Amino acid sequence: SGIEALQKFNQDSNGLSGSFTQTVTSKKKTQTSSGTFKILRPGYFRWNYTKPYQQVIVGDSKTVWLYDPELKQVTKKSQAEALGDSPAAILSDRNALGSSYTLKEDGSQNGVNWVKATPKSSNAGYQYIRLGFKNNQLNGMQLRDSFGNNTNITFASLNNNPNVSATDFKFTPPKGVDVLSN
Amino acid sequence: CQTVPVAKDWHERPENKTSFDASGRLAVKQNDKGSYANFDWSSSGKMQQLDVNTPLGNTVGQLCQDAQGVVAVASDGSRFEAATASELSERLMGFAIPVEALDVWAHGHWHERSPHTVLEDGRLLQDGWVIERQVNEEGQPRLLLLESEQLSIRLLFSQYQSPSTLPDTEVCERSA
């Protein structure tokens, strides 16, 4: 089932890396982006958008750094506060979905078992997160916010034990870039 | 990086405003404080709506302006109304973004509600903001840069088109 797969995912895989494709559907348009990600539990992640433009999101377990190379701006905020900002923040925190979410089996389609996590607090910024697992492997993630936007992420070329260490998640702002705290 | 032409020609706002549908990134800087978000921004000429989003696509705040004024909606559904969008955007984003004039400036126009000056370097001065505009080859907005004494706001457009369908309502949704 979905919940079992989520628990197994939370228990064993310390690290995970791969690529993702993200599609955001709002009332008026659909926007697609893609990139790569790396996760090392607990709390380390890199979520890099490469298309249509570059955005680098790095969690070093204390601070989340959001860097836009074209605008030459880095915005940093405390990682605890930024949990909702990226799925990697959720995936890199073993008990992110445990305490503050209620979990529910949410069916399966073409081999993907879905779990629906609904935030217990109302100001989480979104209505629910769905995580999809295929033969116990993370396959997809969906988010629905309170404005009717649906984010659908599919993961690919997953590596369940990438050789990553904490130093891979140290973010050093490039020279000549504004580093601002949120 | 490739140089993007700076549009130096400014004109009075035409009778009816340009309708458009755009998205991109918004970067705000105030000394060592700052904020950054993706945005979706559309206007039918009578009503404009600015959605402030995370890179993940969920909206953290929405500003809507129509003939009656401005309303802001936060992600927990709470709604605020105020005289000016700057006041609302300060409450929503922590920075006073002059949304009520942004769509006019973005298209190379000044509005008639207050005096303006076109500086020699081709930037526009209005409402305490020095505004620089860069356009792409089709002459559509590519970068809008606003500087006031302590605040710098940049909107970098990654998508800009005339809307295929105009929204049926010209009024912001005010009650939940």
Side-chain angles (χ1 to χ4, degrees):
Chain A
S1 80
I3 293 188
E4 274 153 19
L6 173 62
Q7 274 147 2
K8 188 176 169 312
F9 172 75
N10 271 338
Q11 264 127 28
D12 54 27
S13 42
N14 255 348
L16 188 67
S17 69
S19 61
F20 65 85
T21 304
Q22 172 181 299
T23 308
V24 179
T25 320
S26 64
K27 291 193 187 93
K28 268 182 275 205
K29 60 183 131 182
T30 299
Q31 294 175 70
T32 303
S33 53
S34 60
T36 58
F37 73 98
K38 263 193 285 195
I39 289 172
L40 174 64
R41 290 209 176 114
Y44 296 103
F45 63 86
R46 263 185 187 272
W47 187 267
N48 293 351
Y49 290 94
T50 45
K51 284 205 223 47
Y53 45 76
Q54 267 216 312
Q55 278 178 331
V56 175
I57 308 175
V58 177
D60 62 16
S61 82
K62 284 191 282 320
T63 306
V64 174
W65 307 81
L66 180 47
Y67 169 44
D68 185 314
E70 207 175 343
L71 281 169
K72 294 193 176 56
Q73 178 162 320
V74 173
T75 314
K76 59 180 184 162
K77 60 173 113 179
S78 94
Q79 188 150 339
E81 206 192 293
L83 180 65
D85 274 10
S86 86
I90 293 163
L91 296 173
S92 66
D93 175 353
R94 252 184 246 287
N95 36 46
L97 290 184
S99 47
S100 42
Y101 289 80
T102 41
L103 301 180
K104 186 165 83 54
E105 289 295 337
D106 209 26
S108 81
Q109 288 109 8
N110 37 55
V112 181
N113 295 319
W114 289 93
V115 184
K116 186 173 191 180
T118 311
K120 287 177 181 158
S121 88
S122 67
N123 51 22
Y126 37 81
Q127 288 176 12
Y128 61 72
I129 301 175
R130 291 178 82 224
L131 283 169
F133 295 90
K134 194 166 192 176
N135 352 337
N136 285 337
Q137 173 85 281
L138 181 67
N139 178 276
M141 187 170 191
Q142 292 169 354
L143 279 137
R144 180 171 174 74
D145 75 0
S146 42
F147 290 90
N149 300 312
N150 282 303
T151 300
N152 187 44
I153 297 172
T154 43
F155 297 104
S157 47
L158 288 174
N159 175 354
N160 274 318
N161 43 51
N163 61 32
V164 283
S165 69
T167 47
D168 292 306
F169 301 91
K170 189 171 171 342
F171 180 79
T172 324
K175 267 206 307 305
V177 159
D178 289 327
V179 181
L180 310 169
S181 45
N182 198 312
Chain B
C1 63
Q2 25 90 319
T3 57
V4 178
V6 177
K8 295 197 160 57
D9 49 340
W10 294 89
H11 307 284
E12 189 174 1
R13 180 171 80 77
E15 177 54 33
N16 25 42
K17 287 190 192 175
T18 317
S19 59
F20 64 90
D21 193 340
S23 40
R25 292 105 77 194
L26 165 71
V28 182
K29 180 180 154 188
Q30 183 170 27
N31 309 325
D32 62 352
K33 285 262 174 295
S35 151
Y36 171 85
N38 291 37
F39 70 80
D40 285 320
W41 184 22
S42 61
S43 169
S44 65
K46 296 199 179 58
M47 172 184 110
Q48 70 164 320
Q49 184 174 304
L50 177 67
D51 286 4
V52 178
N53 310 323
T54 68
L56 200 52
N58 51 312
T59 295
V60 293
Q62 186 177 77
L63 281 169
C64 183
Q65 182 199 358
D66 59 15
Q68 291 162 39
V70 193
V71 57
V73 186
S75 57
D76 59 7
S78 48
R79 279 171 198 280
F80 316 91
E81 293 203 40
T84 68
S86 311
E87 229 176 289
L88 282 184
S89 70
E90 181 137 27
R91 182 189 286 224
L92 209 63
M93 297 253 314
F95 299 97
I97 298 172
V99 173
E100 59 275 15
L102 221 52
D103 58 345
V104 174
W105 291 334
H107 294 97
H109 302 133
W110 62 75
H111 61 75
E112 69 303 339
R113 294 191 300 274
S114 54
H116 71 277
T117 321
V118 179
L119 306 172
E120 312 80 35
D121 60 12
R123 295 184 301 169
L124 175 74
L125 173 62
Q126 189 165 42
D127 299 342
W129 294 96
V130 175
I131 302 139
E132 174 178 327
R133 201 168 75 93
Q134 293 176 13
V135 294
N136 61 18
E137 311 77 46
E138 289 93 34
Q140 296 168 330
R142 169 69 182 141
L143 175 71
L144 186 62
L145 168 59
L146 299 97
E147 307 265 352
S148 68
E149 279 98 31
Q150 353 81 8
L151 203 57
S152 142
I153 300 171
R154 287 174 295 161
L155 285 102
L156 184 59
F157 292 78
S158 39
Q159 230 186 336
Y160 178 94
Q161 67 257 356
S162 324
S164 41
T165 58
L166 281 183
D168 32 35
T169 63
E170 299 282 275
V171 177
C172 302
E173 208 192 312
R174 281 191 159 68
S175 57

